[in-house]
């Protein structure tokens, strides 16, 4: 009996915080590593660095250790065959000063131990504090493989001193996430009496002006056609509260024959992916709500609060319907009505782009598996 070759890979990212988008990134990476490992004839054993290792282990069926307990992290890396950093927007200083030192520190620890390190489809930046830039470049130059999710991230790394030919530009990993086998995503045409319009919102502007304008646009859509507005909170409790604000601002749309509901908090990324697959249209602020929609061939309208939204939409040869700074309710309503009526044409137009994005999203896992297999 031939024993299986097992390779242990530590996965570092914003995991265990139960943010649906980041958890989807993790599930996507785990699925891709498993499939590529199987194709290469080896078993990939992931160890996830998580803020809640018990929950992560239970949810994904993998080993997890606490990301803030240095001894556990060190031991996991020591006993591994390499470390993946990503995906998501890990190396940025817009949300605080702690992210860049933490994620670079994990990478550096692995490099000190002589372990190969891999950057998996990260979105780099913004990096507003110049003191971080040489440290990022120094660590990245020692990585065996670097992939980023947009050309702007590649350009930023190049400006820091990372060789451009050593940076692969790939889609966000979630583009490669599929529903479990046997679950068709055929609900995009609408299986309910009313067509479902999924809406993903978050707080951004201090005065909530963009949410108020979106509410006005949704109310206008309801006056034009009977739909079921289904709010999809990707990050609870924040997105749930933002959804309630929009619902209150919309007023009584039931008089126009419309329904409004909010999806319950989801435990696993597949649950939210199923929600999105049932939509006839998705209007989203959250990046991963738009990626979910594209992966399920659901027509989408993006509202940009961050360049990452624009970058993703550009891959679909599209632009945002508006931004947090400027959102016209009339345009939201008219574009939503148009896509509800032209869903099949949208899917036909986007089919080849979506197929290619899904294929490219698996490339980092393939390259990483090839590397660790070559070190047998």
């Amino acid at each position: 009996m031939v024993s299986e070759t097992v390779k242990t890979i530590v996965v570092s990212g914003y995991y265990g915080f139960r943010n649906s988008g980041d958890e989807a990134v993790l599930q996507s990476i785990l699925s891709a590593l498993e499939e590529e490992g199987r194709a290469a004839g080896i078993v990939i054993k992931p160890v996830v660095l998580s803020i809640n290792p018990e929950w992560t282990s239970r949810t994904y069926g993998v080993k997890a250790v606490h990301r803030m307990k240095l001894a556990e992290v060190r031991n996991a890396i020591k006993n591994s065959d390499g470390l993946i950093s990503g995906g998501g927007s890990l190396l940025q200083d817009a949300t605080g000063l702690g992210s860049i030192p933490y994620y670079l520190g994990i990478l550096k620890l692995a490099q000190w131990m002589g372990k190969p390190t891999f950057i998996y489809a990260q979105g780099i930046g913004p990096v507003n504090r110049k003191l971080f830039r040489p440290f990022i470049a120094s660590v990245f130059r020692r990585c065996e493989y670097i992939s980023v999710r947009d050309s702007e991230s590649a350009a930023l790394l190049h400006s820091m001193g990372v060789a451009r030919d050593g940076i692969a530009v790939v889609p966000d990993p979630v583009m490669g996430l599929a529903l479990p086998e046997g679950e068709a995503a055929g609900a995009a045409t609408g299986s309910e009496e009313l067509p479902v319009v999924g809406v993903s919102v978050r707080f951004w502007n201090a005065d909530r002006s963009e949410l108020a304008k979106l509410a006005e646009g949704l109310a206008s859509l309801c006056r034009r056609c009977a739909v079921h507005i289904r709010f999809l909170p990707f990050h609870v409790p924040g997105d749930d509260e933002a959804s309630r604000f929009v619902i209150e601002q919309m007023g009584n749309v039931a008089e126009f024959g419309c329904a409004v509901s909010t999806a319950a908090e989801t435990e696993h990324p597949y649950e939210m992916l199923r929600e999105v697959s049932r939509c006839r249209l998705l209007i989203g602020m959250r990046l991963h709500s738009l990626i979910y929609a594209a992966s399920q061939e659901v027509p989408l309208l993006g509202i940009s609060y961050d360049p990452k939204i624009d970058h993703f939409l550009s891959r679909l040869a599209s632009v945002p319907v508006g931004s947090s700074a400027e959102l016209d309710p009339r345009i939201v309503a008219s574009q939503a009505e148009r896509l509800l009526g032209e869903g099949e044409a949208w899917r036909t137009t986007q089919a080849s782009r979506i197929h290619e994005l899904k294929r490219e999203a698996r490339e980092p896992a393939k390259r990483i598996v090839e590397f660790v297999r070559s070190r047998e």
Side-chain angles (χ1 to χ4, degrees):
M1 182 176 176
V2 180
S3 61
E4 292 181 314
T5 299
V6 179
K7 296 291 185 178
T8 300
I9 299 180
V10 176
V11 184
S12 167
Y14 191 74
Y15 305 133
F17 293 89
R18 302 178 74 160
N19 178 310
S20 183
D22 292 292
E23 297 303 329
V25 167
L26 176 58
Q27 179 62 66
S28 303
I29 293 174
L30 296 177
S31 297
L33 288 173
E34 180 181 9
E35 291 181 22
E36 294 298 336
R38 190 184 306 120
I42 63 175
V43 175
I44 300 296
K45 181 182 176 184
V47 179
V48 179
L49 305 186
S50 169
I51 196 68
N52 188 340
E54 293 79 12
W55 180 82
T56 296
S57 291
R58 184 175 70 250
T59 302
Y60 302 102
V62 297
K63 183 178 179 181
V65 301
H66 201 291
R67 59 181 257 145
M68 301 306 292
K69 294 183 178 178
L70 182 58
E72 292 185 15
V73 171
R74 216 173 136 189
N75 190 55
I77 295 173
K78 179 182 177 182
N79 294 303
S80 77
D81 296 287
L83 177 129
I84 287 173
S85 179
S89 302
L90 306 182
L91 297 178
Q92 51 79 26
D93 56 7
T95 60
L97 298 179
S99 291
I100 293 176
Y102 173 79
Y103 293 111
L104 284 184
I106 296 295
L107 281 162
K108 195 66 180 175
L109 181 61
Q111 291 172 354
W112 278 337
M113 292 182 177
K115 304 296 182 179
T117 51
F118 314 98
I119 306 300
Y120 200 121
Q122 283 197 31
I124 310 296
V127 183
N128 297 309
R129 293 156 183 86
K130 292 184 179 180
L131 65 94
F132 286 138
R133 298 187 175 210
F135 294 109
I136 293 172
S138 173
V139 171
F140 272 48
R141 282 196 290 262
R142 291 190 60 189
C143 290
E144 275 68 30
Y145 174 73
I146 301 171
S147 59
V148 295
R149 69 185 182 196
D150 51 64
S151 57
E152 291 78 8
S153 293
L156 179 58
L157 286 176
H158 181 62
S159 74
M160 296 177 188
V162 181
R164 191 183 294 275
D165 59 2
I167 306 169
V169 179
V170 299
D172 187 285
V174 179
M175 271 306 302
L177 183 63
L179 286 167
E181 197 169 337
E183 290 192 37
T189 55
S191 59
E192 299 191 8
E193 186 177 339
L194 293 176
V196 178
V197 177
V199 180
S200 166
V201 292
R202 61 162 298 163
F203 288 126
W204 190 253
N205 293 350
D207 62 0
R208 303 185 180 181
S209 55
E210 81 283 27
L211 297 183
K213 289 177 181 177
L214 174 60
E216 188 180 338
L218 293 174
S220 178
L221 175 64
C222 286
R223 288 191 290 270
R224 294 167 181 243
C225 49
V227 293
H228 176 177
I229 306 292
R230 177 80 163 161
F231 286 85
L232 308 175
F234 270 65
H235 197 179
V236 176
D239 292 5
D240 194 50
E241 294 170 8
S243 298
R244 284 198 298 272
F245 175 82
V246 175
I247 292 171
E248 291 169 3
Q249 293 289 307
M250 286 170 60
N252 181 22
V253 295
E255 60 182 310
F256 307 117
C258 291
V260 179
S261 64
T262 303
E265 181 179 0
T266 56
E267 181 82 0
H268 194 284
Y270 285 144
E271 296 172 43
M272 186 61 81
L273 193 61
R274 291 186 193 101
E275 285 277 357
V276 172
S277 76
R278 300 182 185 114
C279 296
R280 184 85 64 87
L281 167 69
L282 185 129
I283 302 172
M285 289 181 71
R286 288 285 186 190
L287 172 64
H288 285 104
S289 71
L290 302 172
I291 295 174
Y292 274 28
S295 75
Q296 299 303 301
E297 299 186 8
V298 173
L300 56 92
L301 292 173
I303 299 170
S304 178
Y305 71 93
D306 184 283
K308 64 186 179 183
I309 304 294
D310 306 70
H311 298 161
F312 174 69
L313 292 175
S314 71
R315 286 178 169 265
L316 298 174
S318 183
V319 295
V321 71
S323 69
S324 55
E326 188 174 348
L327 186 64
D328 188 329
R330 295 168 298 180
I331 295 176
V332 171
S334 64
Q335 289 298 307
E337 183 181 29
R338 179 184 65 81
L339 281 177
L340 283 169
E342 300 176 3
E344 198 55 48
W346 184 93
R347 278 184 283 278
T348 300
T349 300
Q350 296 291 352
S352 61
R353 293 190 187 100
I354 291 172
H355 175 78
E356 185 63 14
L357 288 173
K358 287 182 176 182
R359 186 194 67 77
E360 292 175 358
R362 317 291 289 197
E363 190 64 22
K366 183 178 180 180
R367 291 287 303 277
I368 292 166
V369 167
E370 287 174 351
F371 184 91
V372 297
R373 186 176 184 270
S374 70
R375 290 164 64 96
E376 289 182 36

